[in-house]
Each structure stands twice: as C-alpha cells, then as structure tokens.
Short mmCIF file of all heavy atoms in Angstrom, two decimals:
data_model
loop_
_atom_site.label_atom_id
_atom_site.label_comp_id
_atom_site.label_asym_id
_atom_site.label_seq_id
_atom_site.Cartn_x
_atom_site.Cartn_y
_atom_site.Cartn_z
N MET A 1 1.91 12.76 1.14
CA MET A 1 0.98 11.89 0.77
C MET A 1 0.70 10.82 1.95
O MET A 1 1.61 10.26 2.37
CB MET A 1 1.50 11.01 -0.54
CG MET A 1 0.44 10.31 -1.27
SD MET A 1 0.99 9.65 -2.84
CE MET A 1 2.02 10.88 -3.60
N ASP A 2 -0.57 10.74 2.21
CA ASP A 2 -0.96 9.78 3.26
C ASP A 2 -1.21 8.34 2.89
O ASP A 2 -2.30 8.07 2.39
CB ASP A 2 -2.23 10.38 3.96
CG ASP A 2 -2.59 9.81 5.34
OD1 ASP A 2 -1.67 9.09 5.88
OD2 ASP A 2 -3.83 9.81 5.63
N VAL A 3 -0.19 7.55 2.94
CA VAL A 3 -0.23 6.13 2.37
C VAL A 3 -0.76 5.20 3.49
O VAL A 3 -0.24 5.24 4.66
CB VAL A 3 1.14 5.74 1.89
CG1 VAL A 3 1.17 4.22 1.46
CG2 VAL A 3 1.57 6.66 0.76
N GLN A 4 -1.70 4.52 3.21
CA GLN A 4 -2.22 3.52 4.15
C GLN A 4 -1.52 2.28 4.47
O GLN A 4 -1.55 1.65 5.51
CB GLN A 4 -3.68 3.14 4.05
CG GLN A 4 -4.72 4.38 4.35
CD GLN A 4 -4.59 5.47 3.45
OE1 GLN A 4 -4.73 5.36 2.20
NE2 GLN A 4 -4.78 6.77 3.98
N ARG A 5 -0.88 1.78 3.38
CA ARG A 5 -0.12 0.50 3.45
C ARG A 5 1.03 0.64 2.53
O ARG A 5 1.06 1.26 1.47
CB ARG A 5 -1.08 -0.56 2.98
CG ARG A 5 -0.48 -1.89 3.09
CD ARG A 5 -1.60 -2.92 3.25
NE ARG A 5 -1.01 -4.28 3.48
CZ ARG A 5 -1.64 -5.41 3.12
NH1 ARG A 5 -2.89 -5.40 2.91
NH2 ARG A 5 -0.97 -6.49 3.25
N GLU A 6 2.18 -0.11 2.82
CA GLU A 6 3.37 -0.16 2.04
C GLU A 6 3.72 -1.60 1.99
O GLU A 6 3.86 -2.38 2.83
CB GLU A 6 4.44 0.70 2.65
CG GLU A 6 5.73 0.72 1.79
CD GLU A 6 6.78 1.77 2.19
OE1 GLU A 6 6.31 2.74 2.84
OE2 GLU A 6 7.97 1.37 2.08
N ILE A 7 4.21 -1.98 0.75
CA ILE A 7 4.83 -3.32 0.53
C ILE A 7 6.16 -3.26 -0.04
O ILE A 7 6.41 -2.39 -0.91
CB ILE A 7 3.86 -4.33 -0.14
CG1 ILE A 7 3.53 -3.81 -1.53
CG2 ILE A 7 2.64 -4.54 0.58
CD1 ILE A 7 2.84 -4.74 -2.41
N ASP A 8 7.07 -4.11 0.31
CA ASP A 8 8.35 -4.18 -0.05
C ASP A 8 8.59 -5.29 -1.11
O ASP A 8 8.40 -6.49 -0.68
CB ASP A 8 9.36 -4.23 1.09
CG ASP A 8 10.87 -4.15 0.62
OD1 ASP A 8 11.16 -4.25 -0.62
OD2 ASP A 8 11.69 -4.17 1.55
N THR A 9 8.72 -4.91 -2.38
CA THR A 9 8.98 -6.04 -3.28
C THR A 9 10.45 -5.97 -3.90
O THR A 9 10.59 -6.45 -5.03
CB THR A 9 8.04 -5.98 -4.47
OG1 THR A 9 8.10 -4.83 -5.15
CG2 THR A 9 6.55 -6.08 -3.93
N ARG A 10 11.33 -5.47 -3.23
CA ARG A 10 12.71 -5.42 -3.67
C ARG A 10 13.23 -6.77 -3.87
O ARG A 10 13.02 -7.78 -2.99
CB ARG A 10 13.58 -4.68 -2.58
CG ARG A 10 13.33 -3.27 -2.44
CD ARG A 10 14.18 -2.69 -1.36
NE ARG A 10 14.03 -1.33 -1.00
CZ ARG A 10 13.29 -0.95 0.08
NH1 ARG A 10 12.84 -1.80 1.09
NH2 ARG A 10 13.08 0.35 0.31
N GLY A 11 13.97 -6.97 -4.96
CA GLY A 11 14.55 -8.23 -5.29
C GLY A 11 13.54 -9.24 -6.03
O GLY A 11 13.96 -10.33 -6.45
N LEU A 12 12.35 -8.79 -6.16
CA LEU A 12 11.33 -9.70 -6.83
C LEU A 12 11.27 -9.22 -8.21
O LEU A 12 11.17 -8.02 -8.43
CB LEU A 12 10.06 -9.69 -6.13
CG LEU A 12 10.02 -10.18 -4.77
CD1 LEU A 12 8.62 -10.04 -4.09
CD2 LEU A 12 10.51 -11.55 -4.59
N ASN A 13 11.09 -10.20 -9.16
CA ASN A 13 10.87 -9.82 -10.63
C ASN A 13 9.56 -10.09 -11.10
O ASN A 13 8.72 -10.82 -10.37
CB ASN A 13 11.93 -10.66 -11.48
CG ASN A 13 13.32 -10.14 -11.20
OD1 ASN A 13 13.60 -8.96 -11.14
ND2 ASN A 13 14.28 -11.10 -11.30
N CYS A 14 9.02 -9.40 -12.16
CA CYS A 14 7.73 -9.57 -12.69
C CYS A 14 7.54 -11.02 -12.80
O CYS A 14 8.24 -11.95 -13.27
CB CYS A 14 7.72 -8.95 -14.08
SG CYS A 14 6.09 -9.04 -14.90
N PRO A 15 6.20 -11.44 -12.38
CA PRO A 15 5.07 -10.74 -12.07
C PRO A 15 4.81 -10.64 -10.55
O PRO A 15 3.72 -10.14 -10.10
CB PRO A 15 3.90 -11.54 -12.68
CG PRO A 15 4.31 -12.96 -12.49
CD PRO A 15 5.87 -12.98 -12.64
N LEU A 16 5.79 -11.07 -9.84
CA LEU A 16 5.64 -11.00 -8.33
C LEU A 16 5.20 -9.63 -7.56
O LEU A 16 4.34 -9.52 -6.87
CB LEU A 16 6.73 -11.50 -7.58
CG LEU A 16 6.99 -13.12 -7.83
CD1 LEU A 16 8.10 -13.70 -7.17
CD2 LEU A 16 5.80 -13.80 -7.35
N PRO A 17 5.87 -8.40 -8.02
CA PRO A 17 5.38 -7.13 -7.53
C PRO A 17 3.86 -6.92 -7.75
O PRO A 17 3.28 -6.41 -6.85
CB PRO A 17 6.41 -6.21 -8.22
CG PRO A 17 7.62 -6.84 -8.38
CD PRO A 17 7.10 -8.33 -8.88
N ILE A 18 3.54 -7.14 -9.03
CA ILE A 18 2.16 -6.95 -9.32
C ILE A 18 1.19 -7.83 -8.44
O ILE A 18 0.12 -7.41 -8.05
CB ILE A 18 1.77 -7.14 -10.75
CG1 ILE A 18 2.60 -6.12 -11.72
CG2 ILE A 18 0.42 -7.12 -11.21
CD1 ILE A 18 1.99 -4.68 -11.62
N LEU A 19 1.48 -9.19 -8.40
CA LEU A 19 0.76 -10.09 -7.59
C LEU A 19 0.56 -9.72 -6.21
O LEU A 19 -0.45 -9.68 -5.57
CB LEU A 19 1.28 -11.49 -7.76
CG LEU A 19 1.21 -12.07 -9.28
CD1 LEU A 19 1.96 -13.53 -9.16
CD2 LEU A 19 -0.14 -12.17 -9.64
N LYS A 20 1.65 -9.34 -5.61
CA LYS A 20 1.62 -8.68 -4.17
C LYS A 20 0.84 -7.55 -4.07
O LYS A 20 0.09 -7.30 -3.18
CB LYS A 20 3.09 -8.55 -3.66
CG LYS A 20 3.84 -9.93 -3.43
CD LYS A 20 5.12 -9.69 -2.72
CE LYS A 20 5.82 -11.06 -2.35
NZ LYS A 20 5.15 -11.81 -1.32
N ALA A 21 0.92 -6.72 -4.98
CA ALA A 21 0.14 -5.37 -4.97
C ALA A 21 -1.35 -5.68 -5.18
O ALA A 21 -2.19 -5.18 -4.46
CB ALA A 21 0.59 -4.42 -6.02
N LYS A 22 -1.68 -6.64 -6.03
CA LYS A 22 -3.08 -7.02 -6.25
C LYS A 22 -3.65 -7.59 -4.89
O LYS A 22 -4.83 -7.27 -4.53
CB LYS A 22 -3.17 -7.99 -7.23
CG LYS A 22 -4.46 -8.41 -7.68
CD LYS A 22 -4.54 -9.33 -8.85
CE LYS A 22 -5.93 -9.83 -9.17
NZ LYS A 22 -5.99 -10.60 -10.42
N LYS A 23 -2.90 -8.43 -4.26
CA LYS A 23 -3.38 -9.05 -2.98
C LYS A 23 -3.54 -7.96 -1.88
O LYS A 23 -4.56 -7.95 -1.19
CB LYS A 23 -2.28 -10.00 -2.48
CG LYS A 23 -2.75 -10.71 -1.18
CD LYS A 23 -1.71 -11.88 -0.96
CE LYS A 23 -2.13 -12.73 0.30
NZ LYS A 23 -2.24 -11.99 1.58
N ALA A 24 -2.55 -6.98 -1.80
CA ALA A 24 -2.68 -6.01 -0.83
C ALA A 24 -3.91 -5.12 -1.08
O ALA A 24 -4.56 -4.69 -0.20
CB ALA A 24 -1.36 -5.16 -0.78
N LEU A 25 -4.12 -4.63 -2.38
CA LEU A 25 -5.32 -3.80 -2.73
C LEU A 25 -6.55 -4.50 -2.43
O LEU A 25 -7.39 -3.83 -1.90
CB LEU A 25 -5.22 -3.47 -4.18
CG LEU A 25 -4.08 -2.41 -4.60
CD1 LEU A 25 -3.87 -2.35 -6.10
CD2 LEU A 25 -4.48 -1.08 -4.11
N ALA A 26 -6.61 -5.81 -2.62
CA ALA A 26 -7.87 -6.56 -2.22
C ALA A 26 -8.24 -6.39 -0.79
O ALA A 26 -9.48 -6.49 -0.38
CB ALA A 26 -7.73 -7.98 -2.61
N GLU A 27 -7.32 -6.14 0.07
CA GLU A 27 -7.53 -6.11 1.59
C GLU A 27 -7.77 -4.64 1.97
O GLU A 27 -7.91 -4.49 3.29
CB GLU A 27 -6.19 -6.78 2.29
CG GLU A 27 -6.13 -8.15 1.96
CD GLU A 27 -4.73 -8.70 2.46
OE1 GLU A 27 -3.86 -7.90 2.93
OE2 GLU A 27 -4.52 -9.88 2.29
N MET A 28 -7.70 -3.69 1.10
CA MET A 28 -7.77 -2.34 1.37
C MET A 28 -9.12 -1.80 0.95
O MET A 28 -9.94 -2.38 0.34
CB MET A 28 -6.70 -1.48 0.69
CG MET A 28 -5.35 -1.92 1.12
SD MET A 28 -4.08 -1.12 0.14
CE MET A 28 -4.24 0.59 0.48
N LEU A 29 -9.54 -0.65 1.58
CA LEU A 29 -10.87 -0.01 1.34
C LEU A 29 -10.75 0.95 0.11
O LEU A 29 -9.49 1.50 -0.13
CB LEU A 29 -11.27 0.82 2.69
CG LEU A 29 -11.50 0.16 3.98
CD1 LEU A 29 -11.64 1.01 5.01
CD2 LEU A 29 -12.60 -0.90 3.67
N SER A 30 -11.76 1.21 -0.53
CA SER A 30 -11.87 2.12 -1.58
C SER A 30 -11.24 3.45 -1.25
O SER A 30 -11.54 3.99 -0.20
CB SER A 30 -13.29 2.28 -2.23
OG SER A 30 -13.30 3.20 -3.32
N GLY A 31 -10.28 3.92 -2.04
CA GLY A 31 -9.71 5.34 -1.83
C GLY A 31 -8.42 5.35 -1.15
O GLY A 31 -7.70 6.35 -1.09
N GLU A 32 -8.17 4.11 -0.56
CA GLU A 32 -6.95 4.22 0.26
C GLU A 32 -5.73 3.95 -0.64
O GLU A 32 -5.73 3.54 -1.79
CB GLU A 32 -6.82 2.93 1.36
CG GLU A 32 -7.75 3.07 2.46
CD GLU A 32 -7.69 1.96 3.37
OE1 GLU A 32 -7.39 0.85 3.01
OE2 GLU A 32 -8.04 2.30 4.61
N LEU A 33 -4.45 4.35 -0.18
CA LEU A 33 -3.31 4.50 -0.92
C LEU A 33 -2.30 3.36 -0.59
O LEU A 33 -2.19 3.03 0.61
CB LEU A 33 -2.63 5.72 -0.84
CG LEU A 33 -3.24 7.12 -1.21
CD1 LEU A 33 -2.38 8.26 -1.17
CD2 LEU A 33 -3.44 6.95 -2.84
N LEU A 34 -1.79 2.67 -1.72
CA LEU A 34 -0.77 1.65 -1.44
C LEU A 34 0.51 2.02 -2.00
O LEU A 34 0.52 2.53 -3.20
CB LEU A 34 -1.20 0.30 -2.14
CG LEU A 34 -0.16 -0.73 -2.20
CD1 LEU A 34 0.12 -1.49 -0.80
CD2 LEU A 34 -0.64 -2.01 -3.13
N ARG A 35 1.67 1.98 -1.31
CA ARG A 35 2.92 2.26 -1.77
C ARG A 35 3.77 1.06 -2.05
O ARG A 35 3.80 0.19 -1.15
CB ARG A 35 3.70 3.16 -0.88
CG ARG A 35 5.04 3.69 -1.23
CD ARG A 35 5.62 4.65 -0.29
NE ARG A 35 6.81 5.16 -0.84
CZ ARG A 35 8.09 4.95 -0.35
NH1 ARG A 35 8.18 3.96 0.49
NH2 ARG A 35 9.12 5.48 -0.77
N VAL A 36 4.31 0.81 -3.25
CA VAL A 36 5.02 -0.36 -3.62
C VAL A 36 6.43 -0.09 -3.93
O VAL A 36 6.77 0.90 -4.65
CB VAL A 36 4.37 -1.13 -4.76
CG1 VAL A 36 5.20 -2.39 -5.07
CG2 VAL A 36 2.88 -1.45 -4.50
N VAL A 37 7.40 -0.59 -3.13
CA VAL A 37 8.80 -0.35 -3.41
C VAL A 37 9.34 -1.63 -4.21
O VAL A 37 9.24 -2.56 -3.80
CB VAL A 37 9.66 -0.09 -2.23
CG1 VAL A 37 11.00 0.30 -2.54
CG2 VAL A 37 9.03 1.04 -1.42
N ALA A 38 10.02 -1.32 -5.41
CA ALA A 38 10.41 -2.53 -6.31
C ALA A 38 11.92 -2.21 -6.80
O ALA A 38 12.31 -1.00 -6.71
CB ALA A 38 9.60 -2.73 -7.42
N THR A 39 12.57 -3.25 -7.22
CA THR A 39 13.86 -3.04 -7.78
C THR A 39 13.90 -3.46 -9.24
O THR A 39 14.83 -3.27 -9.96
CB THR A 39 15.02 -3.82 -7.09
OG1 THR A 39 14.44 -5.15 -6.90
CG2 THR A 39 15.17 -3.24 -5.70
N ASP A 40 12.75 -4.03 -9.75
CA ASP A 40 12.62 -4.34 -11.19
C ASP A 40 12.30 -3.28 -12.03
O ASP A 40 11.25 -2.71 -11.87
CB ASP A 40 11.55 -5.52 -11.21
CG ASP A 40 11.37 -6.03 -12.66
OD1 ASP A 40 12.07 -5.77 -13.49
OD2 ASP A 40 10.28 -6.82 -12.76
N PRO A 41 13.12 -2.80 -13.04
CA PRO A 41 12.95 -1.86 -13.86
C PRO A 41 11.67 -1.90 -14.72
O PRO A 41 11.02 -0.99 -14.92
CB PRO A 41 14.11 -1.73 -14.76
CG PRO A 41 15.29 -2.56 -14.13
CD PRO A 41 14.52 -3.58 -13.18
N GLY A 42 11.31 -3.15 -14.95
CA GLY A 42 10.03 -3.48 -15.72
C GLY A 42 8.85 -3.00 -14.99
O GLY A 42 7.79 -2.99 -15.51
N SER A 43 8.94 -2.91 -13.65
CA SER A 43 7.74 -2.52 -12.84
C SER A 43 7.19 -1.18 -13.25
O SER A 43 5.92 -0.92 -13.00
CB SER A 43 8.09 -2.63 -11.39
OG SER A 43 9.02 -1.36 -10.94
N MET A 44 7.98 -0.32 -13.77
CA MET A 44 7.37 0.98 -14.16
C MET A 44 6.28 0.87 -15.16
O MET A 44 5.18 1.33 -15.02
CB MET A 44 8.60 2.02 -14.89
CG MET A 44 9.57 2.37 -13.76
SD MET A 44 8.97 3.32 -12.29
CE MET A 44 8.92 4.94 -13.19
N ARG A 45 6.51 -0.01 -16.30
CA ARG A 45 5.52 -0.11 -17.36
C ARG A 45 4.53 -1.12 -16.78
O ARG A 45 3.32 -1.08 -17.13
CB ARG A 45 6.13 -0.52 -18.70
CG ARG A 45 6.59 -1.92 -18.67
CD ARG A 45 7.17 -2.34 -20.00
NE ARG A 45 7.55 -3.74 -19.97
CZ ARG A 45 8.82 -4.20 -19.51
NH1 ARG A 45 9.58 -3.20 -19.20
NH2 ARG A 45 9.14 -5.48 -19.55
N ASP A 46 4.84 -2.16 -15.93
CA ASP A 46 3.94 -3.11 -15.47
C ASP A 46 2.86 -2.43 -14.69
O ASP A 46 1.66 -2.80 -14.76
CB ASP A 46 4.70 -4.17 -14.58
CG ASP A 46 5.62 -4.96 -15.42
OD1 ASP A 46 5.48 -4.97 -16.79
OD2 ASP A 46 6.52 -5.69 -14.85
N PHE A 47 3.24 -1.58 -13.73
CA PHE A 47 2.22 -1.00 -12.90
C PHE A 47 1.40 0.13 -13.67
O PHE A 47 0.23 0.23 -13.42
CB PHE A 47 2.91 -0.15 -11.60
CG PHE A 47 3.07 -1.19 -10.48
CD1 PHE A 47 4.38 -1.79 -10.41
CD2 PHE A 47 2.16 -1.44 -9.67
CE1 PHE A 47 4.61 -2.75 -9.38
CE2 PHE A 47 2.24 -2.42 -8.54
CZ PHE A 47 3.56 -3.01 -8.46
N GLN A 48 1.87 0.62 -14.72
CA GLN A 48 1.02 1.52 -15.57
C GLN A 48 -0.13 0.59 -16.29
O GLN A 48 -1.26 1.07 -16.31
CB GLN A 48 1.92 2.16 -16.67
CG GLN A 48 2.80 3.20 -16.04
CD GLN A 48 3.97 3.79 -17.08
OE1 GLN A 48 3.80 3.46 -18.19
NE2 GLN A 48 4.79 4.42 -16.50
N ALA A 49 0.31 -0.56 -16.74
CA ALA A 49 -0.67 -1.42 -17.48
C ALA A 49 -1.66 -2.02 -16.34
O ALA A 49 -2.70 -2.18 -16.60
CB ALA A 49 0.07 -2.55 -18.13
N PHE A 50 -1.10 -2.27 -15.13
CA PHE A 50 -1.96 -2.93 -14.07
C PHE A 50 -3.08 -1.92 -13.70
O PHE A 50 -4.13 -2.31 -13.59
CB PHE A 50 -1.06 -3.21 -12.89
CG PHE A 50 -1.89 -3.69 -11.67
CD1 PHE A 50 -2.42 -4.93 -11.57
CD2 PHE A 50 -2.03 -2.79 -10.56
CE1 PHE A 50 -3.13 -5.27 -10.47
CE2 PHE A 50 -2.74 -3.07 -9.48
CZ PHE A 50 -3.23 -4.40 -9.41
N ALA A 51 -2.71 -0.64 -13.71
CA ALA A 51 -3.67 0.48 -13.27
C ALA A 51 -4.66 0.50 -14.39
O ALA A 51 -5.84 0.61 -14.07
CB ALA A 51 -2.97 1.70 -13.08
N ARG A 52 -4.25 0.55 -15.52
CA ARG A 52 -5.25 0.65 -16.59
C ARG A 52 -6.20 -0.50 -16.78
O ARG A 52 -7.43 -0.45 -16.90
CB ARG A 52 -4.57 0.67 -18.04
CG ARG A 52 -4.12 2.05 -18.48
CD ARG A 52 -3.68 2.20 -19.96
NE ARG A 52 -2.62 0.99 -20.33
CZ ARG A 52 -1.35 1.16 -20.27
NH1 ARG A 52 -0.90 2.16 -19.64
NH2 ARG A 52 -0.57 0.13 -20.57
N GLN A 53 -5.68 -1.76 -16.40
CA GLN A 53 -6.55 -3.01 -16.53
C GLN A 53 -7.44 -3.11 -15.37
O GLN A 53 -8.56 -3.72 -15.51
CB GLN A 53 -5.57 -4.19 -16.80
CG GLN A 53 -4.90 -4.21 -18.08
CD GLN A 53 -3.76 -5.31 -18.05
OE1 GLN A 53 -3.48 -5.89 -17.04
NE2 GLN A 53 -3.08 -5.35 -19.21
N THR A 54 -7.06 -2.64 -14.24
CA THR A 54 -7.81 -2.94 -13.08
C THR A 54 -8.66 -1.73 -12.54
O THR A 54 -9.62 -1.97 -11.78
CB THR A 54 -7.01 -3.24 -11.88
OG1 THR A 54 -6.12 -2.17 -11.54
CG2 THR A 54 -6.21 -4.43 -12.12
N GLY A 55 -8.49 -0.50 -13.11
CA GLY A 55 -9.30 0.63 -12.67
C GLY A 55 -8.80 1.31 -11.41
O GLY A 55 -9.30 2.22 -10.89
N ASN A 56 -7.64 0.73 -10.82
CA ASN A 56 -6.98 1.37 -9.69
C ASN A 56 -6.17 2.48 -10.21
O ASN A 56 -5.61 2.38 -11.29
CB ASN A 56 -6.14 0.41 -8.79
CG ASN A 56 -6.82 -0.56 -8.44
OD1 ASN A 56 -7.80 -0.46 -7.43
ND2 ASN A 56 -6.61 -1.88 -8.80
N GLU A 57 -6.12 3.74 -9.52
CA GLU A 57 -5.46 4.85 -10.14
C GLU A 57 -3.98 4.85 -9.62
O GLU A 57 -3.64 4.58 -8.47
CB GLU A 57 -6.02 6.06 -9.41
CG GLU A 57 -5.37 7.36 -9.92
CD GLU A 57 -5.96 8.62 -9.19
OE1 GLU A 57 -6.87 8.48 -8.26
OE2 GLU A 57 -5.29 9.79 -9.37
N LEU A 58 -3.09 4.89 -10.70
CA LEU A 58 -1.67 5.11 -10.44
C LEU A 58 -1.37 6.54 -10.13
O LEU A 58 -1.43 7.39 -10.99
CB LEU A 58 -0.80 4.70 -11.65
CG LEU A 58 0.77 4.62 -11.45
CD1 LEU A 58 1.12 3.68 -10.48
CD2 LEU A 58 1.29 4.22 -12.79
N VAL A 59 -1.25 6.90 -8.84
CA VAL A 59 -1.21 8.11 -8.42
C VAL A 59 0.26 8.83 -8.56
O VAL A 59 0.40 10.05 -8.95
CB VAL A 59 -1.47 8.28 -6.78
CG1 VAL A 59 -1.32 9.71 -6.27
CG2 VAL A 59 -2.79 7.85 -6.60
N ALA A 60 1.21 7.92 -8.41
CA ALA A 60 2.63 8.43 -8.58
C ALA A 60 3.64 7.28 -8.80
O ALA A 60 3.36 6.19 -8.54
CB ALA A 60 3.20 9.19 -7.27
N GLN A 61 4.59 7.68 -9.64
CA GLN A 61 5.72 6.83 -9.83
C GLN A 61 7.03 7.47 -9.73
O GLN A 61 7.16 8.69 -10.08
CB GLN A 61 5.70 6.12 -11.24
CG GLN A 61 4.71 5.00 -11.41
CD GLN A 61 4.75 4.17 -12.70
OE1 GLN A 61 4.75 4.99 -13.82
NE2 GLN A 61 4.92 3.04 -12.72
N ASP A 62 8.08 6.99 -9.13
CA ASP A 62 9.23 7.57 -9.09
C ASP A 62 10.49 6.50 -9.11
O ASP A 62 10.24 5.36 -8.66
CB ASP A 62 9.33 8.28 -7.66
CG ASP A 62 10.68 9.17 -7.41
OD1 ASP A 62 11.03 9.80 -8.58
OD2 ASP A 62 11.25 9.25 -6.45
N SER A 63 11.64 6.91 -9.61
CA SER A 63 12.74 6.01 -9.55
C SER A 63 13.99 6.75 -9.04
O SER A 63 14.19 7.99 -9.54
CB SER A 63 12.97 5.43 -10.95
OG SER A 63 13.28 6.38 -11.91
N SER A 64 14.79 6.17 -8.14
CA SER A 64 16.00 6.77 -7.75
C SER A 64 16.85 5.67 -7.10
O SER A 64 16.31 4.81 -6.34
CB SER A 64 15.75 8.04 -6.82
OG SER A 64 15.14 7.39 -5.64
N GLY A 65 18.16 5.70 -7.37
CA GLY A 65 19.02 4.70 -6.76
C GLY A 65 18.69 3.34 -7.00
O GLY A 65 18.90 2.46 -6.16
N GLY A 66 18.12 2.97 -8.16
CA GLY A 66 17.76 1.63 -8.48
C GLY A 66 16.62 1.14 -7.80
O GLY A 66 16.32 -0.14 -7.91
N GLU A 67 15.89 1.94 -7.20
CA GLU A 67 14.50 1.60 -6.71
C GLU A 67 13.41 2.31 -7.38
O GLU A 67 13.59 3.42 -7.79
CB GLU A 67 14.51 1.92 -5.16
CG GLU A 67 15.44 0.95 -4.40
CD GLU A 67 15.14 1.12 -2.89
OE1 GLU A 67 14.49 2.10 -2.42
OE2 GLU A 67 15.69 0.25 -2.15
N PHE A 68 12.25 1.67 -7.43
CA PHE A 68 11.16 2.17 -8.24
C PHE A 68 9.95 2.23 -7.19
O PHE A 68 9.64 1.04 -6.66
CB PHE A 68 10.85 1.34 -9.44
CG PHE A 68 12.03 1.19 -10.38
CD1 PHE A 68 12.99 0.18 -10.28
CD2 PHE A 68 12.17 2.10 -11.34
CE1 PHE A 68 14.12 0.08 -11.06
CE2 PHE A 68 13.40 2.06 -12.18
CZ PHE A 68 14.27 1.05 -11.99
N VAL A 69 9.28 3.41 -7.00
CA VAL A 69 8.26 3.44 -6.09
C VAL A 69 6.97 3.86 -6.88
O VAL A 69 6.90 4.66 -7.72
CB VAL A 69 8.47 4.54 -5.08
CG1 VAL A 69 7.34 4.80 -4.18
CG2 VAL A 69 9.84 4.32 -4.34
N HIS A 70 6.01 3.05 -6.58
CA HIS A 70 4.67 3.24 -7.18
C HIS A 70 3.59 3.37 -6.10
O HIS A 70 3.50 2.67 -5.11
CB HIS A 70 4.14 1.94 -8.01
CG HIS A 70 5.37 1.44 -8.79
ND1 HIS A 70 5.77 1.83 -9.96
CD2 HIS A 70 6.19 0.31 -8.40
CE1 HIS A 70 6.79 1.13 -10.40
NE2 HIS A 70 7.14 0.28 -9.47
N VAL A 71 2.64 4.36 -6.27
CA VAL A 71 1.57 4.55 -5.38
C VAL A 71 0.30 4.39 -6.12
O VAL A 71 0.05 5.08 -7.19
CB VAL A 71 1.71 6.00 -4.79
CG1 VAL A 71 0.52 6.26 -3.79
CG2 VAL A 71 3.09 6.29 -4.08
N LEU A 72 -0.39 3.53 -5.64
CA LEU A 72 -1.75 3.21 -6.23
C LEU A 72 -2.98 3.61 -5.30
O LEU A 72 -2.75 3.40 -4.09
CB LEU A 72 -1.89 1.72 -6.45
CG LEU A 72 -0.94 1.22 -7.58
CD1 LEU A 72 -0.69 -0.25 -7.35
CD2 LEU A 72 -1.41 1.32 -8.94
N ARG A 73 -4.00 3.99 -5.86
CA ARG A 73 -5.25 4.37 -5.09
C ARG A 73 -6.25 3.29 -5.48
O ARG A 73 -6.57 3.03 -6.56
CB ARG A 73 -5.79 5.76 -5.48
CG ARG A 73 -7.12 6.03 -4.61
CD ARG A 73 -7.69 7.43 -4.99
NE ARG A 73 -6.76 8.48 -5.07
CZ ARG A 73 -6.16 9.25 -4.09
NH1 ARG A 73 -6.50 8.96 -2.80
NH2 ARG A 73 -5.34 10.20 -4.34
N ARG A 74 -6.67 2.68 -4.37
CA ARG A 74 -7.69 1.52 -4.54
C ARG A 74 -9.03 2.09 -5.15
O ARG A 74 -9.62 3.10 -4.74
CB ARG A 74 -7.91 0.88 -3.06
CG ARG A 74 -9.12 -0.09 -3.09
CD ARG A 74 -8.75 -1.34 -3.53
NE ARG A 74 -9.59 -2.52 -3.02
CZ ARG A 74 -10.65 -2.94 -3.73
NH1 ARG A 74 -10.98 -2.29 -4.88
NH2 ARG A 74 -11.39 -3.97 -3.26
N ARG A 75 -9.57 1.44 -6.09
CA ARG A 75 -10.73 1.87 -6.74
C ARG A 75 -11.94 1.60 -5.90
O ARG A 75 -11.94 0.85 -4.94
CB ARG A 75 -10.95 1.20 -8.13
CG ARG A 75 -11.08 -0.33 -8.09
CD ARG A 75 -11.26 -0.84 -9.54
NE ARG A 75 -11.03 -2.29 -9.65
CZ ARG A 75 -11.92 -3.15 -9.21
NH1 ARG A 75 -13.20 -2.83 -8.95
NH2 ARG A 75 -11.59 -4.41 -9.26
#
C-alpha cells in the first residue's frame, strides 16, 4: 500500500487521534492515503465512525501488539 503520510498517535486517547487525523487529511490531496498508528483500543470504532461521518474511506484497520493501525483515503 502506497501511503503518502503517516502520523503517530501512540499514547494519545480519544479524541486526539481523530483530531490529528482530521488535520492531516485536510492538508492532503484527494485520493491520498494516511496511515495512523494508535494505542487507544477505542480508536478502532472511532475511526470507523469518523470515516462514515466525513466521507473519507477507511481502507484498512489492523491491530497487533497493543497497536492499532488505520489507513484512510482522503475524499
């Protein structure tokens, strides 16, 4: 997967990972991919809701070793 930007939100709790992702997406071009690495377990459902509400596509989600990775495509 060709990701154009990645942000590290490890150690941050809701709503900070979403807010940082929203800011990053605003600076990106349509169709570009953003990878967000988080440690907040709630981020799984938070990013699903964020994608539905904003129209950005949630391309992938993964969790391993206490980290949660979300890949979003800018609308």
Side-chain angles (χ1 to χ4, degrees):
M1 200 174 312
D2 188 23
V3 175
Q4 282 73 39
R5 187 154 180 200
E6 179 171 333
I7 58 173
D8 181 355
T9 64
R10 293 178 186 104
L12 301 178
N13 291 322
C14 181
L16 290 175
I18 292 289
L19 294 174
K20 288 189 175 286
K22 184 176 180 179
K23 183 178 186 299
L25 285 165
E27 298 168 356
M28 296 171 65
L29 299 174
S30 181
E32 289 186 330
L33 295 177
L34 171 67
R35 183 174 187 258
V36 182
V37 181
T39 50
D40 179 7
S43 68
M44 293 298 276
R45 69 173 186 282
D46 292 344
F47 275 94
Q48 292 167 8
F50 174 75
R52 276 195 308 273
Q53 293 168 358
T54 62
N56 294 297
E57 179 187 356
L58 185 59
V59 177
Q61 281 188 306
D62 186 39
S63 63
S64 65
E67 290 188 347
F68 305 89
V69 177
H70 316 279
V71 179
L72 295 153
R73 184 181 314 276
R74 169 80 158 93
R75 62 178 163 87

